[in-house]
Amino acid sequence: MSLPTYSGIITVLTTPFDANNVIDYDVLGRHIDWLIENGVTSILQGGSTGEYYAMTMEERREALAFVAKHVAGRAQLIAGTNAMRPDDTLELNDYVKDLGYEAVMLAAPPYAAPSAEELAAHFRRIAAATDLGIILYNMPSRTAVDMGPDFLDGVRGIDNIHAIKESSGSMSRHYEHVVNYPHLQRVCGMDDQALDIFLWGAKSWIAGASNFLPAEHVALWKAAVEKRDILLGLKIMQGMMPLIYLLENGGKYIQYVKYGTELAGFDVGPMRAPMGGLTDAEKTHFEKLYDDVKALDLAALVA
């Protein structure tokens, strides 16, 4: 399998649950169709936005299989295969390859907090066991491990470790990647930094808010990446920023994504434990920001 490139909007799917807390595949299928119709180029199943940490391995495999079958070649497929046990990640990687996924996204193993040397050895083992593309996911606020230079030097030269989603919040880290790790495809991983990262040459964005604002995300990508019209991109980003800033800084990212997807017309149901829902006040505030974005008709700016 040739290694993939990443371009456009990559939606990391939220997971709809019905009243019995079971995955609602009817809603999931309709949601995927709508995302693709609105220009999303890649579908990422199994990320933290999709609450993979609250799902059994059987549920994860079932959802990965459904998404692959439903997408049916209409979009690039990427799988989130993080697991507490590294061997479960290896198993999922084999499983998704057979389903047609082109790549996997992997953070540091949760809770373990390995050293840079230990983490590099972990990823070398994973990379040796698959020929899928590997997108590194650096989010030290969740993993307590930073994929810094010592780690990146430890996996340099491994062909299928070829991209990084940088979610530390540091723009300096992006500049470091531009200068010292140009072999890595850079994928936007902080929604409120999307325009800045596109300016520095990134061509893709793994975006949770594209679950409910796909056309607006695509508009920003077209302006900043396809047209290289930074002023137009700035206008679109300014329109989206109040909502996106809340997502990244409001402490309830996944809950806001689920509520936004509900506002967009898809009943994705409640959060699974241990996460709770939004308060009425939080919903009211978010809905106002959502309505403000929709009123701007940002997608029309690049039509």
Side-chain angles (χ1 to χ4, degrees):
M1 177 184 290
S2 61
L3 292 172
T5 57
Y6 310 106
S7 182
I9 301 302
I10 303 167
T11 297
V12 53
L13 291 172
T14 188
T15 301
F17 298 115
D18 65 17
N20 296 314
N21 209 21
V22 174
I23 298 174
D24 190 327
Y25 285 107
D26 176 66
V27 172
L28 181 57
R30 290 189 289 105
H31 184 214
I32 290 170
D33 292 341
W34 181 71
L35 294 172
I36 295 172
E37 289 165 5
N38 278 276
V40 166
T41 52
S42 304
I43 299 292
L44 198 163
Q45 169 60 31
S48 55
T49 302
E51 302 174 77
Y52 83 84
Y53 53 80
M55 298 166 66
T56 66
M57 286 289 286
E58 181 179 356
E59 285 179 313
R60 293 182 70 181
R61 286 190 291 266
E62 183 180 77
L64 286 160
F66 174 86
V67 170
K69 183 176 181 180
H70 193 83
V71 169
R74 294 178 293 159
Q76 182 183 55
L77 289 170
I78 302 170
T81 57
N82 256 79
M84 289 291 289
R85 293 180 65 249
D87 285 355
D88 288 341
T89 291
L90 295 176
E91 177 188 324
L92 284 173
N93 288 352
D94 289 342
Y95 183 71
V96 300
K97 179 183 177 182
D98 291 340
L99 294 173
Y101 285 79
E102 295 183 42
V104 295
M105 181 180 72
L106 287 168
Y111 194 78
S115 68
E117 182 179 356
E118 291 166 336
L119 186 62
H122 167 74
F123 271 92
R124 287 195 296 268
R125 180 187 179 216
I126 289 172
T130 185
D131 57 5
L132 292 171
I134 295 175
I135 303 172
L136 301 171
Y137 179 16
N138 187 36
M139 195 170 193
S141 64
R142 295 292 182 95
T143 64
V145 175
D146 184 24
M147 292 179 169
D150 290 343
F151 164 73
L152 293 177
D153 289 340
V155 296
R156 190 191 291 269
I158 300 174
D159 289 343
N160 57 334
I161 298 180
H162 69 155
I164 185 165
K165 176 189 177 187
E166 179 57 51
S167 299
S168 68
S170 169
M171 279 304 300
S172 292
R173 182 55 59 79
H174 288 283
Y175 306 147
E176 180 180 83
H177 295 166
V178 170
V179 173
N180 294 330
Y181 304 98
H183 63 288
L184 293 175
Q185 296 181 60
R186 288 173 293 109
V187 182
C188 176
M190 292 294 290
D191 293 349
D192 54 4
Q193 295 176 345
L195 181 63
D196 309 74
I197 295 167
F198 286 153
L199 174 64
W200 282 96
K203 292 181 170 57
S204 59
W205 178 6
I206 293 176
S210 63
N211 276 283
F212 56 91
L213 293 173
E216 291 79 2
H217 282 64
V218 171
L220 178 60
W221 180 87
K222 285 183 176 179
V225 178
E226 193 173 77
K227 296 178 179 292
R228 299 302 293 171
D229 188 336
I230 299 303
L231 291 180
L232 177 57
L234 178 60
K235 184 174 182 178
I236 296 170
M237 191 73 186
Q238 286 173 327
M240 297 171 65
M241 183 59 83
L243 184 148
I244 285 178
Y245 185 83
L246 175 63
L247 256 69
E248 288 289 11
N249 298 280
K252 293 187 176 182
Y253 188 96
I254 303 172
Q255 294 96 318
Y256 282 124
V257 168
K258 291 204 95 164
Y259 187 55
T261 308
E262 180 181 324
L263 292 175
F266 299 92
D267 184 6
V268 292
M271 298 287 298
R272 275 190 175 177
M275 307 298 278
L278 300 174
T279 66
D280 289 343
E282 288 167 338
K283 287 182 177 181
T284 298
H285 179 51
F286 182 87
E287 186 171 1
K288 169 66 165 55
L289 297 178
Y290 173 84
D291 289 343
D292 287 347
V293 173
K294 297 304 293 184
L296 295 172
D297 196 13
L298 297 173
L301 298 178
V302 294

